[in-house]
Amino acid sequence: MLSTENRPPAPRRSTGRWRRYGRMAAANFVRGASYACGTAVIALMTWWVQTH
């Protein structure tokens, strides 16, 4: 019981902070990838309509 009371809270906070940053970066990457895929699909459809 004494070991948990004497443990400094700083590593726990920094770990949570890095995890939150990693999750935010992953969400932004997925968002950017979805925008890129949507733009590519629209461009492909436009090209297909113009060439056929």
Side-chain angles (χ1 to χ4, degrees), residues 1-23:
M1 204 56 121
L2 288 175
S3 63
T4 58
E5 290 175 0
N6 292 333
R7 187 173 57 194
R12 212 175 342 140
R13 279 195 215 134
S14 64
T15 304
R17 184 181 302 155
W18 285 114
R19 185 175 295 161
R20 186 172 59 216
Y21 287 155
R23 184 178 293 175

Side-chain angles (χ1 to χ4, degrees), residues 28-46:
N28 287 333
F29 177 78
V30 169
R31 183 184 300 168
S34 67
Y35 285 159
C37 288
T39 304
V41 167
I42 291 171
L44 184 63
M45 287 172 44
T46 304

